[in-house]
Amino acid sequence: MEPVAFFSQPLASPEPRSRALGTGSDSRAGPREPERSRSGAEPLLDPTRLIRDPQSGRTYYRGRLLGKGGFARCYEATDTGSGHIYAVKVIPQSRVAKPHQREKILQEIALHRSLHHRHIVHFSHHFEDEGNIYIFLEHCSRKSLAHIWKARHTLLEPEVRYYLRQVIAALCYLHQRGVLHRDLKLGNFFITENMELKLGDFGLAARLEPQDQRKKTICGTPNYLAPEVLLRQGHGPESDVWSLGCVMYTLLCGNPPFETADLKETYRCIKQVRYTLPPYLSSAARHLLATILRPVPQDRPSLEEILQHEFFTKGYTPAQLPPCSCTTVPDLTPPSPAESFFTKVTKSLFGRKKNKSKIAPQEQDNLSRLVSDLVLTSICPLSSTKEPRQAQEEADVAPSLAETAPEEGSPRSLAALGSSSEGSEEYLTAATVMESTLCALRNCLAFMPPARQNPAPLATPEHLLWVSKWVDYSNKYGFGYQLSSRRVAVLFNEGAHMALSSNRKTVHYNPTNTKHFSFPVDAVPQQLQGQLGVLRYFASYMDHNLMKGGDLPSVDETEGPSPLLLQWVKTDQALLLLFSDGTVQVNFYVDHTKLILSGWEPLLITFVARDRRTCTYQAPHLQRLGCSQELRLRLRYVLHLLRQRSGT
Ligand code: 11G
């Protein structure tokens, strides 16, 4: 093996990277040296990423880059005081040096901050320093409809109704206030964590002027230009309606109505209103599109008329879309009124009897939102929380050498060489671990009262297992770690997991997390010797180079199951580790604090503070009594991280 020269200050990765059992190859390009844990060299929180409001003194930590747009670079930003996450637009002063450029930005700010509507991106605040202007906006964790469209290409008609109703609500509000958006497109429809649509980007918005006073040109390149705008007759509310029709067409048909390979040809098609309606659309959808995409603006329906069209009135609109619909076709079978969960809950909430209940549509909508909110936030089933299958006990290891030579490296051949066990449904997957921890954490934080201090801690569980050292060498081999029991292990890039027991006498090998082989260390089969070499190397490296990460006492390795690392993720601020026994550990680089979330009924939260003091709490206690800001912020960060990773 090559000698290893570590970075003295490993680089923090700006984007989360993860490795899951069974996933593909290393995502990083080119060889890089491993990053190591807390021998004083964990990646530090980068102080150049702190943004300070010179007036209020508040600071924000600039997180990952969300994208670039216009003059701005956009990032996630966390208020270091409250933990609130924003999407921030950072506009270099150099890009708005000319008075008209600055004027344009200030106008956009003035307009956006005056808008307050459920389906319009919330403008929080803005400030500037010598280098930049910062605009803090509502963070929409599911990005935009453009991302959903990219993954799905076409949406179901009920989904299109769901999104368009929200766009129309926002647009009605704007038009009533005499504001035109002028750049309605999928990328400006942002989607929040709970799948609500928020209209954003008011960079091209303008006040509605009488026909003869309208500006005839538009700066920028709006996406769904109406024919009258191309013909320089000015942009009216009907031109926003046209764009809305183009959005509807794109979502239902998979591509924009006037898309061609050549922009000039596209403009020609728009001016001539030349497009085709695919036959698979419902007749209501075809009819509505045909009325919206009319050449003469005044012939187009108003927003109210659109909502009265049979496409909306006769077709089912779900009250809520499941988050999985961002990437896969959802099952949107309309609930049958007699049997639905909704009916059951409304009946139990309001005591109405079947057939006698008459709920007004608006009330029904509110109720079903309430119910789906409840489902999303509280009634989250802890489905597969079974214990992982018992691994082989160290003492039992009694390999019997095969008499015949089976296929090299196949699980069958390994089974013949060592003691093996196999399971399937009993094993926890990374997704289950994330979901279950997410549920418990979400409930804990959602109902937690404010408090200054943590409640009295419990005794830290005797056999709490946690990672005391780690090395990321995933550009070559994998992720190595040492547990508090002194067991060392590697999660290889290809997904296999190999561990060396704390007494260094037994090797455990898991080609997948449902298969387990164990061997005495001197009887490991030939085909696993390479991986054993890497494991030994990691073990020796951690023994010699790394200090233990915390004050928790080492625990003796028990004869029970030892958890496998299922997945690891590095963000710019923390390392997240998911284990097969349901434990989730998060190491914060900046101050070496750690959170260890273990056991689900109830969830135990162990916090290793800056001063290395370790305290364990039951999540329901924190939920009832509150906790310190130090702990609350970190729990919120873990919640955010798990939400992002689980895609819920
Ligand atoms: O306006 C945005 N919002 C509300 C938003 C923009 C800009 C901050 N974006 C993205 C960032 C890159 C391109 C557009 C957002 N991203 C995530 N949440 C909210």
Side-chain angles (χ1 to χ4, degrees):
M1 197 177 308
E2 293 167 32
V4 181
F6 289 95
F7 286 125
S8 59
Q9 283 293 318
L11 299 170
S13 159
E15 303 291 334
R17 287 184 292 116
S18 69
R19 180 144 323 281
L21 268 178
T23 57
S25 59
D26 187 6
S27 59
R28 282 188 293 172
R32 250 186 74 182
E33 298 304 342
E35 293 176 11
R36 59 183 170 169
S37 59
R38 69 161 255 104
S39 51
E42 266 183 357
L44 293 170
L45 192 74
D46 181 354
T48 63
R49 284 169 166 260
L50 279 177
I51 302 169
R52 187 170 177 278
D53 180 346
Q55 266 172 5
S56 70
R58 281 180 193 275
T59 52
Y60 304 86
Y61 188 73
R62 176 161 64 73
R64 67 191 177 110
L65 182 72
L66 294 171
K68 295 175 191 169
F71 295 146
R73 276 171 165 263
C74 308
Y75 299 91
E76 271 181 10
T78 309
D79 181 329
T80 60
S82 67
H84 191 86
I85 297 170
Y86 297 94
V88 63
K89 281 189 185 184
V90 182
I91 305 157
Q93 296 284 12
S94 59
R95 301 293 303 269
V96 288
K98 298 198 178 119
H100 73 275
Q101 293 170 325
R102 191 175 164 79
E103 188 54 32
K104 200 169 156 291
I105 296 294
L106 295 180
Q107 247 174 25
E108 181 182 338
I109 291 172
L111 170 66
H112 196 168
R113 74 186 312 173
S114 73
L115 303 174
H116 303 280
H117 188 271
R118 176 174 179 173
H119 294 299
I120 289 185
V121 166
H122 175 67
F123 181 99
S124 174
H125 60 289
H126 81 290
F127 58 82
E128 53 187 302
D129 60 21
E130 280 179 4
N132 303 295
I133 299 176
Y134 304 92
I135 302 175
F136 286 76
L137 302 172
E138 178 174 4
H139 179 246
C140 300
S141 60
R142 298 187 194 280
K143 301 181 183 170
S144 72
L145 260 189
H147 294 87
I148 296 176
W149 173 78
K150 239 188 204 163
R152 295 274 312 276
H153 228 60
T154 55
L155 301 191
L156 306 173
E157 291 194 5
E159 291 178 278
V160 174
R161 280 188 283 271
Y162 171 86
Y163 290 121
L164 287 190
R165 278 182 186 278
Q166 301 180 44
V167 177
I168 292 171
L171 212 49
C172 278
Y173 169 82
L174 282 185
H175 287 183
Q176 271 164 14
R177 296 173 59 95
V179 175
L180 303 174
H181 187 280
R182 305 205 304 179
D183 194 15
L184 296 177
K185 60 178 181 183
L186 300 179
N188 286 339
F189 302 146
F190 296 96
I191 308 295
T192 65
E193 182 65 16
N194 64 356
M195 298 297 290
E196 265 198 288
L197 180 146
K198 308 276 171 159
L199 174 58
D201 194 345
F202 294 89
L204 295 182
R207 296 233 136 255
L208 174 57
E209 306 286 356
Q211 181 87 45
D212 54 329
Q213 289 167 32
R214 286 181 194 167
K215 270 206 252 150
K216 305 296 183 257
T217 53
I218 293 190
C219 327
T221 46
N223 252 41
Y224 295 127
L225 284 175
E228 66 275 14
V229 181
L230 274 177
L231 295 166
R232 297 175 186 275
Q233 292 161 358
H235 190 119
E238 307 82 6
S239 321
D240 275 350
V241 167
W242 170 278
S243 307
L244 186 75
C246 294
V247 164
M248 175 175 166
Y249 184 104
T250 309
L251 290 176
L252 288 174
C253 308
N255 51 288
F258 304 100
E259 190 178 62
T260 69
D262 167 38
L263 194 63
K264 275 194 187 151
E265 177 59 15
T266 296
Y267 286 171
R268 217 170 293 134
C269 289
I270 295 173
K271 285 180 201 164
Q272 296 167 4
V273 193
R274 198 158 21 99
Y275 69 99
T276 53
L277 283 167
Y280 54 79
L281 292 181
S282 70
S283 59
R286 292 158 61 83
H287 184 264
L288 179 57
L289 283 169
T291 60
I292 295 179
L293 297 178
R294 281 179 177 153
V296 178
Q298 287 68 35
D299 291 347
R300 293 174 204 149
S302 67
L303 294 171
E304 291 74 18
E305 284 165 344
I306 291 175
L307 285 178
Q308 290 312 313
H309 190 274
E310 63 169 347
F311 174 73
F312 283 102
T313 56
K314 299 240 168 88
Y316 162 63
T317 309
Q320 180 93 27
L321 285 182
C324 67
S325 66
C326 293
T327 49
T328 49
V329 183
D331 175 6
L332 294 180
T333 322
S336 109
E339 295 307 321
S340 70
F341 177 54
F342 163 76
T343 313
K344 281 183 206 152
V345 175
T346 50
K347 263 201 299 181
S348 69
L349 280 175
F350 301 100
R352 287 170 174 148
K353 286 207 181 115
K354 204 164 94 183
N355 300 333
K356 284 196 183 161
S357 66
K358 281 240 156 41
I359 304 170
Q362 182 57 42
E363 193 187 350
Q364 174 146 351
D365 193 45
N366 291 340
L367 285 173
S368 52
R369 267 183 210 286
L370 171 80
V371 171
S372 41
D373 281 350
L374 277 173
V375 173
L376 278 175
T377 56
S378 317
I379 319 172
C380 195
L382 287 179
S383 48
S384 27
T385 56
K386 292 177 196 157
E387 284 300 304
R389 190 190 170 96
Q390 292 254 321
Q392 285 290 315
E393 293 179 4
E394 311 267 306
D396 283 353
V397 177
S400 57
L401 284 171
E403 280 164 10
T404 53
E407 211 182 309
E408 269 239 329
S410 73
R412 211 159 37 85
S413 70
L414 292 176
L417 293 170
S419 61
S420 72
S421 60
E422 185 162 1
S424 51
E425 73 285 354
E426 296 102 320
Y427 282 85
L428 296 181
T429 61
T432 313
V433 174
M434 274 194 275
E435 262 171 43
S436 307
T437 312
L438 191 57
C439 275
L441 209 50
R442 198 186 259 148
N443 284 343
C444 173
L445 285 165
F447 304 106
M448 192 188 274
R452 291 177 154 253
Q453 288 175 348
N454 293 325
L458 308 169
T460 296
E462 236 178 79
H463 291 294
L464 182 72
L465 277 183
W466 57 285
V467 169
S468 53
K469 301 177 181 185
W470 58 268
V471 181
D472 168 13
Y473 205 170
S474 57
N475 60 327
K476 255 197 163 143
Y477 304 112
F479 185 93
Y481 63 98
Q482 180 170 313
L483 287 176
S484 46
S485 61
R486 289 197 60 250
R487 175 177 283 227
V488 283
V490 178
L491 175 55
F492 290 97
N493 288 342
E494 316 77 65
H497 186 279
M498 185 181 265
L500 190 55
S501 63
S502 57
N503 60 12
R504 305 294 186 252
K505 286 189 180 158
T506 310
V507 171
H508 299 270
Y509 179 66
N510 297 74
T512 72
N513 64 337
T514 59
K515 292 199 181 78
H516 173 240
F517 302 91
S518 47
F519 312 93
V521 73
D522 50 6
V524 171
Q526 192 54 38
Q527 64 259 44
L528 297 182
Q529 285 294 335
Q531 278 154 311
L532 179 60
V534 174
L535 173 60
R536 281 185 188 284
Y537 171 71
F538 270 104
S540 145
Y541 179 80
M542 288 189 283
D543 265 354
H544 292 110
N545 296 283
L546 303 182
M547 294 182 340
K548 272 201 307 173
D551 269 356
L552 284 177
S554 292
V555 295
D556 291 336
E557 193 159 71
T558 56
E559 290 192 345
S562 191
L564 303 180
L565 177 62
L566 297 177
Q567 196 173 88
W568 60 274
V569 179
K570 280 165 92 181
T571 74
D572 55 346
Q573 301 188 47
L575 167 72
L576 169 78
L577 303 165
L578 302 175
F579 287 92
S580 61
D581 67 343
T583 299
V584 173
Q585 179 170 337
V586 181
N587 288 13
F588 295 89
Y589 312 134
V590 64
D591 51 9
H592 305 301
T593 54
K594 291 174 183 62
L595 274 173
I596 300 145
L597 311 178
S598 55
W600 290 330
E601 281 165 349
L603 177 73
L604 293 181
I605 298 176
T606 301
F607 181 48
V608 183
R610 252 172 264 251
D611 58 8
R612 330 248 33 99
R613 270 212 304 224
T614 302
C615 294
T616 299
Y617 309 95
Q618 279 190 4
H621 286 172
L622 296 186
Q623 182 176 323
R624 247 186 312 117
L625 304 169
C627 69
S628 65
Q629 161 123 319
E630 188 186 30
L631 179 54
R632 189 190 297 252
L633 283 181
R634 282 164 181 77
L635 290 173
R636 275 208 205 140
Y637 183 77
V638 177
L639 179 72
H640 170 68
L641 209 58
L642 291 175
R643 265 189 189 149
Q644 261 191 347
R645 305 303 308 170
S646 68
T648 57

